Amino acid sequence: DFMSASIWVRYIYSIYWSMTTLSTVGYGDLHAENPQEMVLCAVYMLFNLGLTSYLIGNMTNLVVRNTARTQNFVRDWQYHLRSLFLLN
């Protein structure tokens, strides 16, 4: 029973529930049964969220950087084409 458990076990249950809900990994067929498994799952979910955030951040950085390089390339070619046509 949740209400008869110690305060620490209730905190573990609450943290496990909130992290599982917010990280959208779902409860599924396999889920934590006791507080030790819940702590392990919570740490694992935090690791996965951090890894996913890191990867998405790096991919976004690559896209933004390449977009800036592409804009510079197009601007340079436009300048060269304008100067070519103005000289002829």
Side-chain angles (χ1 to χ4, degrees):
D1 185 43
F2 182 76
M3 294 309 288
S4 65
S6 73
I7 189 74
W8 294 109
V9 172
R10 288 191 284 179
Y11 274 121
I12 291 171
Y13 283 4
S14 301
I15 290 171
Y16 172 75
W17 174 83
S18 63
M19 289 185 64
T20 303
T21 302
L22 294 175
S23 66
T24 66
V25 296
Y27 299 98
D29 293 333
L30 300 174
H31 56 276
E33 293 286 331
N34 57 47
Q36 291 84 7
E37 291 174 355
M38 289 181 183
V39 168
L40 179 65
C41 287
V43 170
Y44 181 69
M45 285 184 270
L46 277 175
F47 171 76
N48 283 333
L49 287 171
L51 180 64
T52 302
S53 301
Y54 174 76
L55 292 174
I56 290 173
N58 278 339
M59 287 188 288
T60 303
N61 189 24
L62 288 173
V63 169
V64 168
R65 191 178 310 160
N66 284 337
T67 302
R69 287 177 52 193
T70 303
Q71 289 174 351
N72 290 337
F73 177 78
V74 169
R75 190 179 321 115
D76 289 344
W77 270 100
Q78 287 173 345
Y79 172 76
H80 291 303
L81 287 174
R82 281 191 200 117
S83 63
L84 179 68
F85 287 120
L86 288 177
L87 292 176
N88 291 333

